[in-house]
Amino acid sequence: QVQLVESGGGSVQAGGSLRLSCEASGVRISTYSMAWFRQTPGKEREGVAGFAGIGRWTYADSVNHRFTISRDVAKNTLYLQMNSLIPEDTAMYYCAAEPGSLSQDLRLRSDSYNYWGQGTQVTVSS
């Protein structure tokens, strides 16, 4: 049974940093594409960062050069380091996983992923 559990969300002032974690069980993340998405009420889920193997990552323009996705295969955990946070980053953040290596055009599409975590809230105040 695949399970993804996010943690690390919280409240922070603009300009601050947070690191989100997604601990996976029932899967070996080394064989999966994984990604971070975010969603605010009334809006569609937005792909933030996707990882499909070494050197194969994709970022949304809105977070490029501020967010970094990484993984620790030994810990079976995905991370999202978020720096220079702005109020527009406020959202529920979700971890997603899909077997195999997704191509770049699919990594930030929510319909590319079948496995999802329950989310962790990030709130950035001005």
Side-chain angles (χ1 to χ4, degrees):
Q1 180 180 355
V2 177
Q3 189 172 15
L4 304 173
V5 180
E6 302 95 334
S7 62
S11 296
V12 64
Q13 288 194 327
S17 298
L18 284 173
R19 188 176 81 154
L20 305 183
S21 299
C22 171
E23 186 172 354
S25 58
V27 300
R28 293 176 58 189
I29 65 170
S30 59
T31 64
Y32 277 64
S33 294
M34 301 193 72
W36 288 98
F37 288 77
R38 66 187 181 186
Q39 189 171 24
T40 55
K43 293 190 177 181
E44 291 188 2
R45 196 165 291 190
E46 173 193 19
V48 173
F51 186 84
I54 296 174
R56 304 175 70 178
W57 53 80
T58 305
Y59 293 96
D61 289 343
S62 58
V63 306
N64 202 14
H65 305 301
R66 298 190 299 121
F67 290 9
T68 302
I69 189 171
S70 63
R71 69 181 184 184
D72 186 327
V73 173
K75 295 182 178 179
N76 220 33
T77 300
L78 181 76
Y79 301 100
L80 184 68
Q81 178 67 42
M82 305 187 295
N83 298 328
S84 302
L85 284 161
I86 59 177
E88 289 76 13
D89 295 321
T90 296
M92 184 72 78
Y93 282 73
Y94 298 91
C95 172
E98 180 67 16
S101 182
L102 292 170
S103 58
Q104 186 168 355
D105 61 325
L106 298 179
R107 287 174 205 157
L108 299 186
R109 289 182 53 159
S110 60
D111 59 0
S112 297
Y113 298 86
N114 281 300
Y115 302 104
W116 293 86
Q118 83 292 346
T120 186
Q121 177 68 37
V122 172
T123 302
V124 183
S125 59
S126 57

